[in-house]
Amino acid sequence: MTDKKIGKYTVKIIREKCIGAASCTAIAPGVFELDEEQIARIISQQGNDDETKLLAAQSCPTAAVIVVDNESGDQVWPIISK
Amino acid sequence: MQQLPPPKQYVAKLADTEPLNGKFIKFQFELVEPNLLEFIAGQYVSFLVSDKGERRSYSICSSPEVKHSFEITVDTTPEGLGVNFLKNLQFGQEVQVLGPMGVFIVQEEPREENLVFVATGSGVAPFHSMIPNLLREKEDKREITLYWGLRHEEDMIWQDEFQDLAQAFPNFHFHPVLSQALQEWPLCRGHVNDCLNIHTLPTGNTGYYLCGNAKMIQEIKELLINKGIAETAIHHEKFY
């Protein structure tokens, strides 16, 4: 059985890049929280709307939050230079 | 946990720039829409710096009592996207800002008996907002100490302000530490670790606030934990 992705975007966190700045949790508290080590983790992909999720990712000072378009599978943030 | 104001999108305009020395420039932005920014000392804002959606974050270094404008102070030596964006702004030019954000604020509960702030380089920026706010607006009587590590004396900014605060408020202590000081430098030499190692740290329930590069924060955390400080008493904001 395949996972059905809901919404336009799926967000992922690169733990090694996270410095606990907490901008993602401030902007999208329904999606992100800080764990016991003050590193961001995802609590729900549906916690905030897609534009808020993208803004939260863009606000990360270390580009630790990746946004993937569910339909195309392409990474939309950070922008990958071609 | 203190209630933090939710971040909002703001339009602000560049109102003033002031080179503080050869390394640091202070930028002042006037709020346009909304025209007031409520924040807690220690928080930061995120600027939109390109039309590709790229952002850069900077700690607010001005007083939270001033709500119609805010200031950031930037180390201009790494000439990255954010620095070049800021340096190329014209007076009156509008920018898009998201904020306030961040949880690096003085903890209210449980209340810490003493406060020790440790910064390296531009990491002092949030403390330039936090410390005067504690001493002047909040009339905080706790023992408050700032250790600030830099390489050279000419890199220092705000030393007169911090020294004036130390003169005016007997509970505030300022310890600048230079790693490449000239012979005539009369104060602490080496790195902030060295200073913390030889100074007698406050006893009791003391909160430690660290701001600077990740390596410094890791080293200071280990030093403090080895001295018996509880990890929950150590708060940090990593600049990178």
Side-chain angles (χ1 to χ4, degrees), chain A residues 13-27:
Chain A
I13 293 167
I14 307 174
R15 263 188 88 78
E16 308 77 64
K17 283 192 166 188
C18 180
I19 59 170
S23 61
C24 57
T25 67
I27 293 165

Side-chain angles (χ1 to χ4, degrees), chain B residues 166-209:
Chain B
Q167 293 265 31
F169 297 94
N171 59 316
F172 174 59
H173 317 282
F174 176 44
H175 298 294
V177 188
L178 300 183
S179 61
Q180 295 178 31
L182 296 176
Q183 203 171 357
E184 53 267 26
W185 174 251
L187 302 175
C188 297
R189 293 168 179 274
H191 295 99
V192 283
N193 321 32
D194 304 318
C195 209
L196 286 167
N197 247 331
I198 58 173
H199 280 209
T200 304
L201 298 179
T203 53
N205 172 23
T206 297
Y208 290 85
Y209 293 79

